[in-house]
Each structure stands twice: as structure tokens, then as C-alpha cells.
Amino acid sequence: MAPKIQPRVPRGMRDILPQKMLLRQYVIGLVEKTFQRFGFEPLQTPVLELRETLMGKYGADAEKLIYDAQHREGKEELSLRYDLTVPLTRVVAMYPDLPKPFKRYQIAPVWRAERPQKGRYREFYQCDADIVGSKSMLADAEIVTMIYTLLAQLGFRSFTTKINNRKILTGIGQYAGLPPAELGGLYRSLDKLDKIGADGVRAEMTQNQIPAEAIERIMKLIAVPTDALGELRELLGEFPVAREGLDELEQLATFLSDANIPRTNFQFDVAMVRGLAYYTGPIYETVVTEPRIGSLTGGGRYDDLVGLFANQSIPTTGTSFGIERIIDVMDELAMYPASIGKTVTQVLVTIFQRELAGVSIQIANRLRAAGINAELSFETENLGKQLKYAAAKSIPFAVIIGPDENSARQVTLRDLTSGEQTRIDQAELAKALAAKLPSEPPDSI
RNA sequence: GUGGCCAUAGCUCAAUGGCAGAGCGUCUGACUGUGGAUCAGAAGGUUGCGGGUUCGACACCCGUUGGCCACCCCA
């Protein structure tokens, strides 16, 4: 016999066992339903992309994390996709006849060779919804509205979508009088405001040898309270880019107010920065404030990304839901409805003895035909063992058909939770059981 | 990518450098037309992996792999 190998999965990747999958499917199902409710259409793309498709889009740091996926004899240089956004822009460039605005969603795994941590994996699902072909702030407002709707639907209460604009960040660079090479560092420091405070940002900028005068100007800027777009305009108004960004955010604010998004659930914040290089306009990031867990969504407008594949630029905006993190938070806070069971099986049909197997088979099949998830036991002797199996799997009901029941054309229906048993006519079983099972939740948002 | 903590039965964890253990879980039996309770018994380990020090290593040293934490970055 060949020597045994350690059963294990690659670093940062994991198996998701059935009980966890049921919870994931609940979350993903709700996400998908919400996407569709807003008129987004499903899209699938290959997990592998040509390497050249991915390179040059995310910035040098991010690209180090891209997995290559070369076949030994392959002629094409292939990589595992890093996100779902760049594949989308590739699709848009390849199929120029898609009616615009093109609204698509995609829920699929992506790969990043990061150092794993809790809630942070090398293979994880992203849920993206994007609107291609509209430069209207209505499109951005719809994205933010959908973020609100979805998170509220999942049961989140205390969350805030932070909104900023790349154009404002560009304006800040000009306002500080920094050369372009310094800007990356400045933005990164700015982004940490929440975490390290104003003094921390100052210290970090000092350490990065940003001129004292520039630091003082930045400090004045981050002293502006969130949502105070007017005050920002006073400081940044002389820079046309910043003015454009502020105009956009003001329009966005109007539309969000028209959509009745609660004022506590979004916030304009100049200190919010998104890492990816391709954003050009409004950017969003949603943080859950209770508990403090980091960001659950991230996205923004990237008007020039499609232009890297086609001759024309196509304005695009969208967001990504960090489904793994959302699931982690929901696990931690036990945010799932009680109706989600630990198994798909609704009833175990036991076999009392070998001679009665045929009856049990037929009853199981009749239950299935009636839309009930019925499992047939494969044990024909020990009823105790069969019930033990049902209990171990948290199957809520068991059907027992012994000689007594069968001669009366009945069954015993046992509720494994309460231990109650009732005798039911075989012809009535499906109906009686269906009445005891939890009904599907209403399909409304 | 940098630094730190950790790795012993399926799980949670013990074991002065001197016989590798407990609780829970699993399996079998008692009971029997019925899971959980009780009782009795059993199985389960190359101490992550590879070297080294030692008469002797789960323990000490080096390396390696993986998990976690803080950076970096990010969902």
C-alpha cells in the first residue's frame, strides 16, 4: 500500500462542511435575491484569466498577490482572478453591444496570496454588483441604496457606509502641495485616521518626511467633521478637481435623501481611502460599528477601467460585499433565523425490519413527491440506532412503520424535538407532516 | 512580505528531561417497538513533520509546515 499522505488543504483555503454551507446559502441567497430586486443580472466568467488581463490594474502591491495558474504545456499565461471587477470590464469590452446601462452581479470565488488570518482567506467569495454605462450619480445612489437594503435585510442595524471621492483626494494632494510620488503614503496615513487618531496621522506623516507646512494643512482638513461638505468646499474650493468631487457628493446626498436612507447609515468622510488604483470618482466602504469588525463592503466608481481594454472609456460604478466577513459577523452574533436547520432533511423514514423495507421505501418516495425532504434509513434492524442517527443530524421528524402501524395502514410520526408521537394514516402523512414543518419565509424585501 | 505566540486522542486540555493521561465525544453491551438519562466495557497516539543534544525528549536546540495575533494590505 502506498504511504498515507496527510489530508490537508492549501494554506489559507478551507472546506466548508454541510452545516456551515446551509448558513452560507441562506446569506448568499438573500444577497442574490436583493441584487435581482434591483434589476441586476447574473454573470459568470472563468476563474482563470489571461495574466495580461489582470496585470496593471490593481497597483503593484496588490499584483504581488495574484496567483499564477500555469499548465505545464500551456501556451497562454494564466492567472487566478483577483477580483470580479476586472473580469467585468473585460466582458464589457468584449461585448460592446450589451445594452447600457449594463447591470450585472456575480457571486464567485477569487484568490489572493495574502497571509491568512481569521476571516481572511486566500480563496474567498466576492459578491459584486456593478452598473456599467452611466455616469449619473443616480447610479451611485442606487449602489449605496442597495448596500443599505441588503445589510438591513440581513439583520444589521448599526452600520455606516462611508463615502468619499477620489477627486477630493486628488484635490487634497494639490491642497497639500505634495508631489505625486508622495500621495500614496499620504492617503494611507489618512485612511488610518479612525484607527490611530489625528495625532497618529500627524506622527506618521512626519515620519514619512512630509513637509511641516503640508502636514499643517492636512491636519486642518481632517479636523473638519464628517458630512460637512460645505466646510470642505471652503478649504478645497480653489481646486477644480475637488470642486467636481464635492459637486458629485452633493448630488449623491440629495438622491440618498430622496431614497429615505436613514441619515445614520451613510456618512461623507474625507479620510476614507480605498486601496485599489482604478477608482476615479465616489468611493464607498461600509463599516459595522457594533461590534467593531472592519469593513463589510467596498466599492466605488471606476470610469476609466474599461478604457484599458477598449478605445472608449465607459463610466462604471459598483460595490463588492465581503461575504466571508459578513458571514463571520453573522455567525458571531447568531443573526440567522431559527428556521435554518442543521440539515436539509426534514424527516427520516425508518425501517422497522427487513420485511417492511418496501413499505418504508414507498412512504419515503411519496413524501418526496409531496415536496418534503425525506431520508430513507439504510438500517433494517435496530430502530434505536436509526433514531440516534436522526438525533445526531438534528433531523426534526422520524416516521416509524412497524407491523402494528402497517396492518392498520398507518405510521407513527415522531417529533424528535419534543418526543411527541402520533399515529397517522399513511395516506394523510405528507399533508400532516407538511403542516408541522416551518413554512418558507415570505419572498419580500 | 516583516515580527511574535502556538501545535499532545475526533474536540477542550494535562503530563520536574524518566511508563502519554483526563473530561467530553465515538463505538459495543445492559434495557427494547424509540434518540437524549443511567450503568458496564472498548476503541482511539510515530506528541504536526525532519534533524540535533542526551543513557533517556511531549519537554531542550535548529529547521520546516500549518494555525492564530500585530504590521503591510485588504473583503
Side-chain angles (χ1 to χ4, degrees):
Chain A
M1 206 165 106
K4 278 185 196 145
I5 8 165
Q6 278 294 317
R8 55 183 209 93
V9 292
R11 181 173 201 199
M13 306 193 184
R14 70 250 212 257
D15 298 313
I16 299 165
L17 298 180
Q19 281 196 15
K20 274 272 156 62
M21 273 307 287
L22 290 177
L23 300 177
R24 281 176 79 85
Q25 285 183 339
Y26 162 75
V27 175
I28 289 173
L30 216 48
V31 171
E32 187 162 22
K33 210 177 280 180
T34 305
F35 285 167
Q36 294 188 357
R37 190 103 339 146
F38 280 77
F40 289 80
E41 312 274 358
L43 172 75
Q44 186 169 99
T45 63
V47 301
L48 296 179
E49 290 280 352
L50 291 174
R51 192 174 148 74
E52 63 194 36
T53 301
L54 305 185
M55 299 314 282
K57 315 295 189 298
Y58 305 105
D61 280 351
E63 274 160 24
K64 278 189 269 182
L65 305 177
I66 293 176
Y67 276 95
D68 285 331
Q70 209 49 50
H71 178 67
R72 286 182 300 279
E73 295 163 25
K75 299 214 165 67
E76 296 171 309
E77 286 193 24
L78 303 176
S79 296
L80 283 167
R81 66 180 165 221
Y82 177 88
D83 70 0
L84 303 176
T85 305
V86 169
L88 166 66
T89 57
R90 196 214 77 227
V91 164
V92 169
M94 272 179 74
Y95 307 92
D97 291 344
L98 287 169
K100 308 291 187 312
F102 175 57
K103 297 168 71 177
R104 83 88 179 80
Y105 71 87
Q106 185 167 8
I107 301 172
V110 302
W111 291 266
R112 297 182 184 180
E114 287 192 274
R115 189 109 151 196
Q117 260 180 61
K118 200 187 194 79
R120 204 167 162 187
Y121 309 98
R122 292 185 156 192
E123 175 186 60
F124 62 95
Y125 269 68
Q126 277 197 334
C127 299
D128 279 24
D130 294 85
I131 302 171
V132 181
S134 170
K135 56 180 196 296
S136 168
M137 283 301 113
L138 280 168
D140 293 84
E142 179 140 290
I143 294 292
V144 176
T145 302
M146 192 166 67
I147 291 171
Y148 167 76
T149 307
L150 178 50
L151 291 181
Q153 176 77 5
L154 285 170
F156 287 96
R157 291 295 170 265
S158 48
F159 60 87
T160 303
T161 299
K162 296 186 172 191
I163 303 171
N164 196 5
N165 195 315
R166 266 293 159 87
K167 292 172 182 170
I168 294 177
L169 289 168
T170 305
I172 290 174
Q174 295 170 356
Y175 162 87
L178 289 178
E182 304 265 5
L183 289 178
L186 169 66
Y187 295 152
R188 273 193 293 277
S189 302
L190 216 49
D191 199 28
K192 291 186 204 160
L193 178 60
D194 266 3
K195 205 185 234 177
I196 62 181
D199 292 342
V201 174
R202 179 194 289 271
E204 197 160 296
M205 287 190 296
T206 307
Q207 204 182 352
N208 288 342
Q209 296 174 352
I210 290 176
E213 194 198 339
I215 294 181
E216 288 322 309
R217 308 196 78 179
I218 298 289
M219 295 310 288
K220 213 156 108 191
L221 197 70
I222 61 181
V224 173
T226 52
D227 290 327
L229 293 179
E231 286 186 42
L232 285 181
R233 197 177 283 277
E234 280 173 33
L235 288 171
L236 298 171
E238 60 181 293
F239 304 100
V241 213
R243 224 181 305 135
E244 206 178 304
L246 284 162
D247 289 347
E248 288 176 356
L249 294 194
E250 267 161 21
Q251 286 181 52
L252 187 53
T254 307
F255 293 138
L256 290 178
S257 141
D258 288 340
N260 290 322
I261 307 301
R263 203 55 196 79
T264 49
N265 287 296
F266 69 97
Q267 185 178 77
F268 295 99
D269 182 354
V270 271
M272 191 274 287
V273 180
R274 305 233 71 235
L276 293 177
Y278 50 60
Y279 292 115
T280 55
I283 49 181
Y284 336 105
E285 184 168 294
T286 308
V287 293
V288 170
T289 40
E290 192 56 46
R292 268 188 104 72
I293 178 84
S295 59
L296 294 189
T297 82
R301 179 168 276 281
Y302 44 101
D303 286 346
D304 298 331
L305 195 50
V306 176
L308 296 179
F309 296 105
N311 284 329
Q312 47 170 345
S313 271
I314 300 180
T316 301
T317 188
T319 191
S320 178
F321 290 84
I323 194 75
E324 310 290 356
R325 221 173 252 183
I326 289 173
I327 288 169
D328 278 353
V329 179
M330 292 183 63
D331 281 351
E332 208 163 307
L333 303 183
M335 288 169 63
Y336 300 101
S339 60
I340 302 178
K342 292 180 174 164
T343 170
V344 298
T345 303
Q346 295 171 304
V347 58
L348 176 73
V349 180
T350 60
I351 296 178
F352 193 84
Q353 59 198 32
R354 178 68 187 79
E355 296 70 36
L356 288 169
V359 187
S360 289
I361 290 170
Q362 282 162 22
I363 285 173
N365 284 337
R366 227 176 292 152
L367 289 171
R368 291 162 181 165
I372 292 168
N373 299 347
E375 205 174 324
L376 178 69
S377 180
F378 301 135
E379 169 78 40
T380 59
E381 324 232 305
N382 189 338
L383 187 58
K385 208 166 165 183
Q386 300 178 48
L387 290 173
K388 208 165 174 179
Y389 167 78
K393 263 192 78 173
S394 301
I395 297 171
F397 291 95
V399 169
I400 298 159
I401 315 110
D404 295 350
E405 287 90 344
N406 195 44
S407 58
R409 299 210 158 276
Q410 289 187 315
V411 303
T412 292
L413 177 62
R414 181 174 177 86
D415 181 330
L416 278 295
T417 318
S418 65
E420 279 174 37
Q421 297 197 157
T422 42
R423 289 278 284 257
I424 294 173
D425 288 344
Q426 289 180 6
E428 299 296 315
L429 175 61
K431 217 167 112 188
L433 182 52
K436 286 173 180 278
L437 291 169
S439 53
E440 295 279 315
D443 182 17
S444 68
I445 287 176

